C-alpha cells in the first residue's frame, strides 16, 4: 500500500520560506510517476502547486512558479516543497500526492501551515 | 476563479440520484481525461473517478463519470448520508504551458 506523509513547520513568519517534505512508503519514487503538491486554504478549494518526476523534471503552477521549488531525494524516497516570501495568502493545508498520468491516486493526510508573525 | 466551473452546491434526499457538472474548454476537458475526488469533512481528497469513467477498485458502482465535449459529469445513485462531502473535478490545461493540473472550484453535496 502506497503511503505519503507530509512533515514540516506548522507556523511560518511572513516573508520567510515555507519548507515541507513528503515521505513515501510502499513504492519507490525511482520506479516512476510524477509526485505533486496541492494546497487548500481554509474553507476554499484545491490548488495545484507543482509536480516532479524522479529525474527531477518539474511542472509548476504559473501563478506560483516564481516562488516555488520542488525537489526530489530518491535515496530517502521523499520529495520536498519550498515556497519563498510567504504571506497570509499562503496559509493552507498542504497535501502531497502521487500523480498517475492525469490523476492523483494516493494522497497524504495533509498538514496545516499558518503564516503569521 | 477556476478554469473549471462547478455548481457551488447540490442537494438531494437519501436514496435519490444526483449529478454534478464540471464545465471547461478545449484546452482542458476537451482534450484531456477528467478525474473526480471526494473530500469528506475534515479529511483529505479521495480519488473517485479517473480517465473520465473509471473507478478505483474500492469505489462502489453507485459513483460514475462521463464526459462530452468540454464538460464532464459525476453521477451518484442511491444517495447515502455518508456521501455528504465536497466533490472536485480535475484535469490538465495546456493553455499556458506544457500542461498544468487544474481543479474545479468544488461542489458541496448535501444529503437532506
Amino acid at each position: 500500500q502506497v503511503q505519503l506523509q507530509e512533515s514540516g513547520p506548522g507556523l511560518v513568519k511572513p516573508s520567510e520560506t515555507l519548507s515541507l517534505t513528503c515521505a513515501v512508503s510502499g513504492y519507490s519514487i525511482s520506479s516512476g510517476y510524477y509526485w505533486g503538491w496541492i494546497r487548500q486554504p481554509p474553507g476554499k478549494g484545491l490548488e495545484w502547486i507543482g509536480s516532479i518526476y524522479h529525474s527531477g523534471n518539474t511542472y509548476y503552477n504559473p501563478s506560483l512558479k516564481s516562488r516555488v521549488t520542488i525537489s526530489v531525494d530518491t535515496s530517502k524516497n521523499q520529495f520536498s516543497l519550498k515556497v519563498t516570501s510567504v504571506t497570509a495568502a499562503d496559509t493552507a493545508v498542504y497535501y502531497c500526492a502521487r500523480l498517475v498520468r492525469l490523476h492523483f491516486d494516493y494522497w497524504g493526510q495533509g498538514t496545516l501551515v499558518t503564516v503569521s508573525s | 476563479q477556476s478554469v473549471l466551473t462547478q455548481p457551488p452546491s447540490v442537494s438531494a434526499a437519501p436514496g435519490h440520484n444526483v449529478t454534478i457538472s464540471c464545465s471547461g474548454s478545449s484546452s482542458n476537458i476537451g482534450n484531456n481525461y477528467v478525474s473526480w475526488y471526494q473530500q469528506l469533512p475534515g479529511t483529505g481528497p479521495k480519488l473517485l473517478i479517473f480517465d473520465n469513467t473509471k473507478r478505483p477498485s474500492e469505489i462502489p458502482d453507485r459513483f460514475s463519470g462521463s464526459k462530452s465535449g468540454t464538460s464532464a459529469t459525476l453521477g451518484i445513485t442511491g444517495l447515502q448520508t455518508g456521501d455528504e462531502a465536497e466533490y472536485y473535478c480535475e484535469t490538465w490545461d495546456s493553455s499556458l504551458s506544457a500542461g498544468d493540473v487544474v481543479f474545479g472550484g468544488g461542489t458541496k453535496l448535501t444529503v437532506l
Side-chain angles (χ1 to χ4, degrees):
Chain A
Q1 178 77 346
V2 180
Q3 293 185 315
L4 297 92
Q5 179 68 58
E6 306 89 350
S7 62
L11 181 64
V12 181
K13 290 182 168 56
S15 80
E16 295 190 346
T17 296
L18 178 161
S19 297
L20 296 174
T21 297
C22 180
V24 179
S25 59
Y27 187 87
S28 172
I29 287 180
S30 299
S31 295
Y33 298 132
Y34 273 83
W35 303 83
W37 287 98
I38 303 99
R39 70 181 184 180
Q40 185 172 34
K44 296 187 178 181
L46 302 170
E47 179 182 38
W48 171 71
I49 300 171
S51 302
I52 189 166
Y53 197 58
H54 67 82
S55 62
N57 188 38
T58 53
Y59 288 100
Y60 296 125
N61 185 324
S63 68
L64 298 169
K65 188 173 183 177
S66 63
R67 298 192 296 125
V68 169
T69 301
I70 297 176
S71 58
V72 64
D73 186 339
T74 54
S75 67
K76 295 182 178 179
N77 213 40
Q78 64 185 36
F79 59 105
S80 300
L81 170 71
K82 290 188 187 299
V83 181
T84 61
S85 305
V86 298
T87 69
D90 295 307
T91 293
V93 175
Y94 285 75
Y95 296 98
C96 58
R98 188 176 78 169
L99 179 60
V100 178
R101 294 197 307 281
L102 302 186
H103 62 273
F104 295 99
D105 62 348
Y106 289 99
W107 295 65
Q109 65 184 27
T111 186
L112 174 63
V113 178
T114 302
V115 178
S116 175
S117 56
Chain B
Q1 189 81 4
S2 175
V3 298
L4 303 180
T5 302
Q6 297 181 236
S9 63
V10 296
S11 61
H16 286 218
N17 304 333
V18 71
T19 59
I20 297 173
S21 62
C22 177
S23 178
S25 68
S26 59
S27 66
N28 43 67
I29 291 178
N31 283 286
N32 290 296
Y33 286 123
V34 176
S35 307
W36 291 90
Y37 301 88
Q38 177 192 61
Q39 187 173 31
L40 297 170
T43 69
K46 176 183 179 181
L47 180 66
L48 277 184
I49 299 289
F50 65 97
D51 292 357
N52 301 333
T53 61
K54 299 176 182 176
R55 284 177 290 106
S57 58
E58 68 274 18
I59 302 301
D61 60 7
R62 299 189 300 106
F63 295 89
S64 64
S66 64
K67 189 184 99 167
S68 178
T70 59
S71 293
T73 301
L74 173 70
I76 310 174
T77 60
L79 275 173
Q80 302 174 0
T81 55
D83 296 332
E84 194 160 282
E86 195 84 18
Y87 292 84
Y88 295 90
C89 58
E90 175 258 315
T91 187
W92 277 49
D93 190 291
S94 55
S95 60
L96 292 177
S97 65
D100 302 319
V101 174
V102 289
F103 288 95
T107 298
K108 168 65 175 174
L109 169 63
T110 300
V111 181
L112 303 169

